[in-house]
Amino acid sequence: MTNILLITADDLDGRTPGAFGGVPGATPRLDALAAEGMSFHRAHVAAAVCQPSRSAIMTGRWPHRNGAEGFEPIRDGVTVLTELLRDAGYLCGILGKVEHLQPVDRFGWDVARSMRELGLGRNPAAYGAATRDFLARATAEGRPWFLMANAHDPHRPFSGSRQEKEKWPEEDRQTYPAPSRTFHADEVDVPGFLPDLPGVRIEYAEYLSSARRCDDVVGAVLGALDASEVEDTLVVFLSDNGMAFPFAKANCYLRSSLTPCIVRWPGVTEPGSADTRSFVSMLDLFPTFCAAAGIPIPGDLDGHTLVPLLRGEAQPDRERVFTVFHETSAKQRYEMRCTQDARFGYIWNAWSDGAQAYRAENMEGLSWPAMLADPVSADRTDFYLRRVPEELYDLESDPDCLRDLAGDPAYGDALAEARRHLANWLKATGDPLEAAYQSVVEA
């Protein structure tokens, strides 16, 4: 029975770590982990917002099939990973984000440490100590273990931001340290899907500082594992969704669901290897963990084991990925569906009717007001608020998704192909919006 360590970041962009072509020096421990294992450069979460993303990982089912489309509990009768692992004798623990897997008692955690017990989920030393305690208990009891260590960085409020000071009193801010490196506006390059405005630049630097503290947490957890000399451990790192900026988190764009997934499994993964071709979903982790634990894989999962890919073998049906969005943290519904392949990204905005306006947590802080105040960004902000029913992007020439091609006759064949794939997926998964989509396609 292989031990399993699942480390997650909260709102870390898929391209931030240096190992994924991101910011040099932002995430040295993650870059080292990638050098020790395999990185997946086309990995996506099921839904780009916290609780639905995490619930999908822990059930292996799409949100509409597990009940947690937004910030709701999973449905009765849906199997969760920890149930199977505990039945097999595993000690199961969680650090941070405990309340983002509901109902909490269904997950049967043997050990649970809340956000406040971990310096608002931002204290690397607290994570390291909690990991050491958990591993010591597992050793004393002679049990294999599963630990889900969830950093709360780089979720808003960002390090050093005005939001941080306004949200938490000083006594709370004293429970966690500053990042091991602080970034400044004059040393960063703003991602291409955002305009390079002073407010955006300042906030992106604050985000990178928070990302560095997330990396500090990763280092503390892995340091505790290394010090324990526990062998036969599968380590997985991922982010639950993209960063909390416009056109990222809580949407279906490329940078909404793209996650920096790293897997280190001694004897299985080749150190320093990278899969840059296969599309994988974080739904695939559930059956992968079952395989590592040596327990039967349930037949009603939506994901597929990654073991062949981890061994460097080819695996069919990895040319495309699907993602969804249902509901914001404020419980506002914006139904979206997406399919992406190596060339095109297609989004169906079921909510877009020309009247309803989009609003989500990614519009808090400095960036969105800066975009609204910038006349050059007016078309882009107007589009973000209302959208259109269908969007199509050429991800080869336009990876930042700046030019919607859905209305361009030259891309009619690509649009029809994407529609076909999405329609088939909606039907195969029993998506409740299947009939509504057929009316769009047939119009």
Side-chain angles (χ1 to χ4, degrees):
M1 291 182 174
T2 299
N3 302 308
I4 302 169
L5 173 59
L6 173 59
I7 308 175
T8 77
D10 203 351
D11 298 4
L12 180 70
D13 176 64
R15 291 286 184 255
T16 291
F20 291 85
V23 182
T27 58
R29 191 58 191 90
L30 282 176
D31 296 345
L33 181 63
E36 298 161 357
M38 172 178 274
S39 56
F40 288 90
H41 291 242
R42 286 178 171 172
H44 289 261
V45 296
V49 71
C50 180
Q51 190 157 322
S53 175
R54 294 168 185 274
S55 297
I57 291 169
M58 295 298 288
T59 63
R61 295 191 186 191
W62 292 105
H64 67 269
R65 295 214 326 113
N66 68 35
E69 293 185 350
F71 285 68
E72 304 93 13
I74 60 170
R75 283 194 292 266
D76 293 341
V78 174
T79 301
V80 300
L81 177 65
T82 47
E83 290 176 330
L84 300 182
L85 293 177
R86 292 184 76 236
D87 287 347
Y90 275 69
L91 182 74
C92 295
I94 185 171
L95 309 180
K97 309 299 289 189
V98 179
E99 294 77 17
H100 286 80
L101 289 169
Q102 294 283 349
V104 173
D105 59 355
R106 279 287 309 282
F107 290 84
W109 303 108
D110 298 296
V111 175
R113 296 287 181 268
S114 70
M115 172 183 177
R116 288 203 165 268
E117 293 176 279
L118 298 163
L120 298 183
R122 290 161 168 81
N123 189 325
Y127 278 88
T131 302
R132 287 192 295 273
D133 290 346
F134 176 81
L135 297 180
R137 175 174 168 180
T139 299
E141 297 180 6
R143 298 169 64 183
W145 51 267
F146 169 81
L147 178 63
M148 187 178 190
N150 305 302
H152 283 248
D153 274 320
H155 193 287
R156 290 175 179 274
F158 300 134
S159 177
S161 67
R162 193 168 108 184
Q163 265 192 323
E164 182 183 37
K165 295 180 178 63
E166 291 174 345
K167 182 172 183 178
W168 293 320
E170 184 176 356
E171 56 267 28
D172 284 341
R173 300 198 303 275
Q174 290 178 344
T175 64
Y176 57 85
S180 59
R181 176 181 172 184
T182 299
F183 288 81
H184 303 283
D186 59 358
E187 63 176 322
V188 303
D189 294 320
V190 173
F193 66 91
L194 294 169
D196 192 352
L197 302 170
V200 177
R201 179 174 284 272
I202 291 169
E203 190 161 62
Y204 182 60
E206 294 169 348
Y207 155 82
L208 287 178
S209 297
S210 289
R212 178 55 174 261
R213 190 167 50 207
C214 172
D215 191 73
D216 297 339
V217 167
V218 172
V221 172
L222 291 176
L225 174 62
D226 293 341
S228 73
E229 298 184 352
V230 172
E231 298 181 353
D232 194 18
T233 301
L234 164 61
V235 177
V236 176
F237 173 83
L238 60 93
S239 175
D240 62 350
N241 46 248
M243 63 185 193
F245 284 72
F247 294 95
K249 178 183 178 180
N251 286 287
C252 276
Y253 295 107
L254 174 63
R255 300 292 275 272
S256 303
S257 57
L258 187 70
T259 187
C261 181
I262 303 170
V263 180
R264 186 184 75 185
W265 193 354
V268 178
T269 55
E270 180 182 348
S273 57
D275 188 325
T276 60
R277 298 176 61 88
S278 305
F279 283 90
V280 301
S281 169
M282 295 304 92
L283 293 169
D284 299 329
L285 292 180
F286 192 124
T288 304
F289 291 156
C290 288
I295 59 180
I297 298 173
D300 60 353
L301 301 184
D302 293 317
H304 304 280
T305 179
L306 295 172
V307 171
L309 294 179
L310 296 175
R311 290 175 173 159
E313 302 169 2
Q315 192 176 28
D317 301 323
R318 292 290 184 184
E319 299 82 17
R320 176 177 299 277
V321 72
F322 296 90
T323 59
V324 304
F325 190 80
H326 300 283
E327 184 179 296
T328 69
S329 58
K331 297 190 179 298
Q332 296 297 308
R333 302 285 291 195
Y334 300 102
E335 294 282 4
M336 308 177 204
R337 305 291 186 270
C338 175
T339 182
Q340 298 179 26
D341 61 17
R343 177 72 187 276
F344 292 104
Y346 168 75
I347 303 169
W348 175 45
N349 297 305
W351 66 273
S352 177
D353 59 5
Q356 184 179 5
Y358 175 88
R359 183 73 196 179
E361 176 241 354
N362 58 56
M363 299 156 79
E364 296 176 4
L366 301 177
S367 295
W368 179 247
M371 293 169 67
L372 287 176
D374 176 37
V376 177
S377 300
D379 288 346
R380 190 138 169 86
T381 54
D382 288 347
F383 180 83
Y384 193 60
L385 287 172
R386 308 290 177 185
R387 313 292 169 89
V388 290
E390 295 179 288
E391 300 175 56
L392 181 71
Y393 298 97
D394 185 336
L395 300 178
E396 285 188 353
S397 63
D398 181 27
D400 295 315
C401 300
L402 301 176
R403 299 181 297 277
D404 175 21
L405 305 172
D408 188 336
Y411 291 88
D413 289 344
L415 179 64
E417 177 78 356
R419 284 174 166 178
R420 181 178 65 82
H421 283 290
L422 185 60
N424 290 341
W425 178 87
L426 292 168
K427 182 177 182 179
T429 64
D431 192 301
L433 295 188
E434 179 195 359
Y437 187 65
Q438 287 299 328
S439 65
V440 171
V441 172
E442 295 169 1

